[in-house]
Amino acid sequence: MRRSSSIAGSSGRQSMMALRVQDNNKMGLQTPQMKDRGTFGKLSMSKPTPGTSERKVSFFGKRTSGAGGSRNSQYGVFGTEKIKDPRPLHDKAFIQQCIKQLCEFLVENGYAHNVSMKSLQSPSVKDFLKIFTFIYGFLCPSYELPDSKFEEEIPRVFKELGYPFPLSKSSMYTVGAPHTWPQIVTALVWLIDCVKLYAAMRENAPLFDDGQSWGGETDDGIVHNKLFLDYSVKCYEQFMKGRDTFEELDAEVQSKLKDLFNIDEFQIEGLVADNKRLQEEIARLEKEKESEPDRRVTLRNLKSSLQADVQKYQAYLANLESHIAILDQKLEGVNEEVETVEMEVEAMKQENARLQHIFDNQKYSVADIERINHERNELQQTINKLTKEVEAEEHQLWNEELKYARNKEAIEMQLAEYHKLARKLKLIPVSAENSKGHDFEIQFNPEAGPNCLVKYRTQIKAPLMEIINQTEEEIRKATQRKMTLEDTLEQVNVMVVDKKSSVKMLKEEAEKLDDLYHQKLKEAEKEEQKCANELELLEKHKQLLESGVNEGLSEATNELHDLQRQYQVVMQTTTEESRKAGDNLNRLLEVIATHVVSVEKYLDEQNAKIDRDYEEFMSEDLLSFLTGILDSYKKKAESL
């Protein structure tokens, strides 16, 4: 018995209680209805990979016997051994499938908030808490998420529910991050499967009482039979006594099940063979996937190469069709010759019949018979010799036809290359830009004879040489023009340097004159201040004279008037000189600024004009283009 087998109503679901002793050769105890049924809902248990979950941890912990053995039954929890997650968390398709399952569950069960595939690609912590509370409410309707320390509460809940993979506290803060959301969404899908399993168990829970019909079948197709209960009780009793294998009980229950469900041994063997074949097919496909990680790219490359081969074969078939048409024409001629030869053969047969009739009716001598036999042998040798010569001629004809086909294909390829290059150089058709009314296109007609291409030598070579000469002349003129423009550019650069130095000198002189103007202005202000001070002193002196001394009033008054007149004359002279100096300086600055602006404008116009000419000349690149045309013309002329 496998300890993972369910009791009564497990609906074929694999238990999380693992075997201590592996038994891979048994088919297990399944009814015919259970063979074709998958697990309930979307809960799936992956096949353990070697090295990660090889060691199983018992769900029931340690045991000691109760009736004289060494075990006792004690319900325990999972071990602390860390199990590597076998699910493809880095596979985007798998994560999108999990998100789709989560979205469908929320929508089908009336989630209060708006949710979509786009919003579940990277949800916030708040949205995650609402989704977790909604799903967990199906298992615990009175559950309320605490306001604080939810990063400890949620991993604890998953651990208590038996989630086999740990959830860290830090992942609760960064739920929507790309490295965290795959682990969270797979945990939510696992929780959804638990909810579906719990709901199914509540709806379809069997009542094992004495009045139940043990041979009935529930809605999900699982047969509840008392046979399984008796088998489980016996196995558990043996298990508690210290036994780990139950071969006798397994054989007994298997025979009873076979009798109950009419199991066919040949059908089981066929299923075992099919299972083995499918396992080998899966292993082969996995090896092919490992050896060819990106098979689609390889198939696309193969498809493109095959398409190229198809195009080549189509072209080859077109050539063969043309060759077949030619051969058909020749075959018609040969058939006519054959008909003529057959008529001759018929005439010869009639002649032979006549001669045979004569031969039969006349008498020959021995010498005549020997002579006839000798002539017949000579004729037979001649016929054999002629037959060999005909075969040799036919073989030579076949070789000549193959040689002709190859030469024709080579000529057509050369002509295609010539036409492609001529179109690129705009020489064909006749209305092309560089054709100048000449027809450079070559029409290859093999039926015209070996001299079908001779006329094109005179038709193309002379115009082509004329175009080559014109091209060489244009190249020479372009080279001279380039040299002239380079000399002009060098002269303009020299003029620009001279003008820049002149502008720099004029700016320096303008700065010096500006400094001189400011200096004169300061001196005039100082002189004015000095005169004002003297006037103030004179007024004070006048007041002292008027208050203290009455004598010499007229002299002092006259002296005061003289001093005032002198002061006015000095002030007028100083003001006039300052005004003249300022006007002169302003006029000088305006002239200098006007000259500088005109010189800069002229230099800018010259620079722009030179840059435009230089860019136009450099963009044309006539020399390399015309040199390429000349080389191609020379090659074609040499080939012709």
Side-chain angles (χ1 to χ4, degrees):
M1 170 188 177
R2 293 186 60 178
R3 299 231 182 108
S4 59
S5 63
S6 304
I7 299 174
S10 63
S11 72
R13 180 178 60 88
Q14 296 181 0
S15 172
M16 289 187 290
M17 295 181 292
L19 281 171
R20 288 180 300 169
V21 179
Q22 297 292 333
D23 189 5
N24 296 326
N25 296 324
K26 296 184 178 181
M27 289 297 295
L29 303 176
Q30 294 182 342
T31 64
Q33 292 86 350
M34 296 166 66
K35 290 179 183 179
D36 297 330
R37 296 183 59 84
T39 48
F40 182 81
K42 296 188 175 81
L43 181 62
S44 62
M45 298 295 291
S46 299
K47 183 180 179 180
T49 57
T52 58
S53 59
E54 183 71 24
R55 180 180 177 187
K56 303 291 184 174
V57 182
S58 176
F59 187 85
F60 291 99
K62 298 180 180 179
R63 300 168 298 169
T64 57
S65 76
S70 60
R71 306 183 184 182
N72 95 35
S73 176
Q74 180 181 0
Y75 184 80
V77 296
F78 287 103
T80 59
E81 184 177 1
K82 186 176 180 180
I83 302 175
K84 184 178 179 181
D85 195 344
R87 297 171 297 184
L89 299 180
H90 299 289
D91 188 359
K92 293 183 179 180
F94 175 74
I95 300 302
Q96 292 298 320
Q97 183 181 2
C98 294
I99 294 173
K100 183 179 180 181
Q101 295 178 14
L102 177 60
C103 181
E104 290 177 353
F105 179 82
L106 295 176
V107 173
E108 290 174 359
N109 291 275
Y111 184 58
H113 304 279
N114 292 328
V115 67
S116 63
M117 289 286 292
K118 185 176 181 181
S119 62
L120 292 178
Q121 296 296 326
S122 179
S124 62
V125 177
K126 187 176 180 181
D127 294 336
F128 166 69
L129 295 178
K130 292 179 181 178
I131 293 172
F132 172 77
T133 306
F134 174 75
I135 297 173
Y136 189 64
F138 288 94
L139 299 176
C140 184
S142 61
Y143 175 76
E144 293 182 0
L145 190 69
D147 296 334
S148 61
K149 294 187 178 180
F150 67 90
E151 69 279 2
E152 298 179 358
E153 175 70 13
I154 294 176
R156 183 186 63 79
V157 171
F158 275 100
K159 186 175 181 182
E160 290 179 353
L161 290 175
Y163 187 60
F165 311 110
L167 294 176
S168 61
K169 295 180 182 180
S170 60
S171 63
M172 297 295 106
Y173 294 105
T174 58
V175 172
H179 64 281
T180 308
W181 179 235
Q183 300 177 1
I184 302 299
V185 72
T186 50
L188 291 176
V189 171
W190 181 86
L191 185 60
I192 289 171
D193 292 337
C194 291
V195 170
K196 292 181 178 180
L197 187 60
Y198 174 70
M201 291 175 66
R202 289 185 61 186
E203 292 176 0
N204 302 321
L207 300 176
F208 299 106
D209 52 5
D210 294 336
Q212 183 180 0
S213 177
W214 294 101
E217 184 174 350
T218 60
D219 294 337
D220 56 358
I222 301 174
V223 176
H224 299 292
N225 200 301
K226 189 177 179 183
L227 179 64
F228 291 103
L229 289 179
D230 296 338
Y231 172 72
S232 301
V233 170
K234 292 179 183 179
C235 289
Y236 190 71
E237 288 177 356
Q238 297 293 331
F239 176 78
M240 296 303 297
K241 291 179 182 179
R243 292 187 61 182
D244 286 331
T245 58
F246 313 98
E247 287 82 1
E248 297 176 357
L249 297 175
D250 289 344
E252 180 182 355
V253 77
Q254 282 184 1
S255 63
K256 291 180 179 180
L257 286 173
K258 289 178 181 178
D259 296 337
L260 179 63
F261 296 105
N262 297 322
I263 301 299
D264 188 3
E265 292 290 341
F266 296 103
Q267 185 179 3
I268 293 176
E269 293 178 358
L271 292 175
V272 171
D274 292 340
N275 186 24
K276 184 177 180 181
R277 179 180 58 79
L278 292 175
Q279 292 292 339
E280 292 176 353
E281 184 69 18
I282 290 171
R284 184 181 63 79
L285 293 176
E286 289 179 351
K287 289 181 180 179
E288 289 181 358
K289 184 178 179 181
E290 292 176 357
S291 61
E292 297 181 3
D294 197 354
R295 192 173 181 183
R296 289 182 297 174
V297 176
T298 306
L299 292 176
R300 289 195 186 100
N301 296 332
L302 180 61
K303 180 182 177 181
S304 60
S305 64
L306 291 176
Q307 288 177 350
D309 293 339
V310 168
Q311 294 177 357
K312 292 180 181 178
Y313 280 118
Q314 288 176 352
Y316 181 68
L317 288 174
N319 293 330
L320 286 179
E321 288 176 356
S322 62
H323 183 66
I324 288 170
I326 296 172
L327 292 178
D328 288 338
Q329 294 177 0
K330 293 182 179 179
L331 182 62
E332 291 178 357
V334 172
N335 289 331
E336 293 176 356
E337 293 178 359
V338 168
E339 291 176 357
T340 305
V341 172
E342 287 179 350
M343 293 174 66
E344 294 177 356
V345 168
E346 187 67 25
M348 292 295 294
K349 285 182 179 179
Q350 294 177 1
E351 182 67 21
N352 288 335
R354 186 180 65 80
L355 293 175
Q356 185 68 31
H357 179 70
I358 296 171
F359 175 76
D360 292 336
N361 293 328
Q362 71 179 0
K363 297 179 180 179
Y364 295 99
S365 63
V366 176
D368 293 333
I369 294 172
E370 290 178 356
R371 180 176 55 80
I372 291 171
N373 289 332
H374 180 70
E375 290 177 355
R376 186 181 63 180
N377 292 332
E378 289 181 353
L379 291 173
Q380 185 65 36
Q381 292 177 1
T382 305
I383 290 170
N384 294 333
K385 182 178 179 181
L386 291 175
T387 303
K388 291 180 181 180
E389 290 178 356
V390 168
E391 292 177 353
E393 291 294 333
E394 288 179 351
H395 183 69
Q396 185 178 0
L397 177 62
W398 175 252
N399 293 331
E400 290 295 331
E401 288 178 351
L402 290 178
K403 184 178 179 181
Y404 167 76
R406 294 193 191 98
N407 292 333
K408 179 184 175 183
E409 185 177 359
I411 292 171
E412 289 177 350
M413 290 177 63
Q414 291 180 359
L415 287 177
E417 185 67 22
Y418 166 76
H419 289 158
K420 181 179 178 182
L421 183 59
R423 288 189 182 92
K424 186 176 180 182
L425 297 175
K426 299 180 181 179
L427 293 176
I428 58 175
V430 182
S431 59
E433 181 179 352
N434 296 328
S435 65
K436 296 182 180 179
H438 299 288
D439 186 8
F440 290 98
E441 188 172 1
I442 298 176
Q443 300 293 337
F444 178 56
N445 185 11
E447 303 298 333
N451 297 324
C452 62
L453 297 176
V454 175
K455 63 178 182 179
Y456 291 106
R457 186 181 299 275
T458 57
Q459 179 182 344
I460 295 175
K461 186 173 182 180
L464 195 61
M465 293 303 297
E466 182 181 354
I467 293 174
I468 290 173
N469 295 330
Q470 293 179 359
T471 305
E472 290 177 350
E473 183 67 22
E474 290 177 357
I475 292 171
R476 185 181 59 78
K477 290 180 180 179
T479 306
Q480 293 178 357
R481 183 184 174 191
K482 180 180 178 184
M483 294 174 64
T484 305
L485 290 174
E486 288 178 351
D487 295 337
T488 306
L489 179 62
E490 186 176 358
Q491 294 176 2
V492 170
N493 290 332
V494 173
M495 292 174 62
V496 168
V497 172
D498 295 338
K499 293 296 182 180
K500 286 183 178 179
S501 60
S502 301
V503 169
K504 185 176 181 182
M505 292 175 62
L506 291 173
K507 287 183 178 178
E508 291 177 353
E509 291 179 0
E511 290 177 357
K512 290 180 181 179
L513 291 174
D514 194 9
D515 294 337
L516 179 61
Y517 169 73
H518 288 296
Q519 184 178 359
K520 291 291 185 181
L521 188 61
K522 289 180 181 178
E523 290 178 357
E525 290 177 353
K526 290 181 180 179
E527 186 68 25
E528 185 177 358
Q529 185 66 29
K530 183 178 179 182
C531 293
N533 293 333
E534 289 180 357
L535 179 59
E536 186 178 357
L537 291 174
L538 288 174
E539 288 179 352
K540 290 181 179 179
H541 185 64
K542 175 184 176 183
Q543 291 175 359
L544 290 174
L545 288 175
E546 287 178 352
S547 62
V549 182
N550 292 325
E551 296 178 353
L553 179 60
S554 59
E555 295 178 358
T557 302
N558 294 330
E559 185 178 357
L560 178 61
H561 288 306
D562 293 337
L563 291 173
Q564 287 179 351
R565 282 195 297 272
Q566 292 177 1
Y567 171 73
Q568 290 177 357
V569 171
V570 170
M571 286 296 296
Q572 290 178 358
T573 304
T574 304
T575 304
E576 185 66 18
E577 289 178 355
S578 298
R579 186 180 62 76
K580 289 180 179 180
D583 294 337
N584 292 331
L585 185 59
N586 288 329
R587 284 195 298 273
L588 181 61
L589 289 174
E590 289 176 356
V591 171
I592 292 171
T594 304
H595 181 67
V596 169
V597 169
S598 62
V599 170
E600 288 180 349
K601 183 177 180 182
Y602 175 76
L603 292 176
D604 291 338
E605 291 176 353
Q606 292 297 322
N607 285 331
K609 182 178 180 182
I610 292 169
D611 291 337
R612 286 195 303 272
D613 293 337
Y614 182 74
E615 289 176 357
E616 290 177 357
F617 178 76
M618 293 304 291
S619 63
E620 291 177 354
D621 197 12
L622 296 174
L623 184 59
S624 62
F625 179 73
L626 294 175
T627 305
I629 294 174
L630 179 61
D631 294 337
S632 63
Y633 283 171
K634 287 182 178 180
K635 290 179 181 179
K636 290 299 177 181
E638 291 174 359
S639 64
L640 293 174

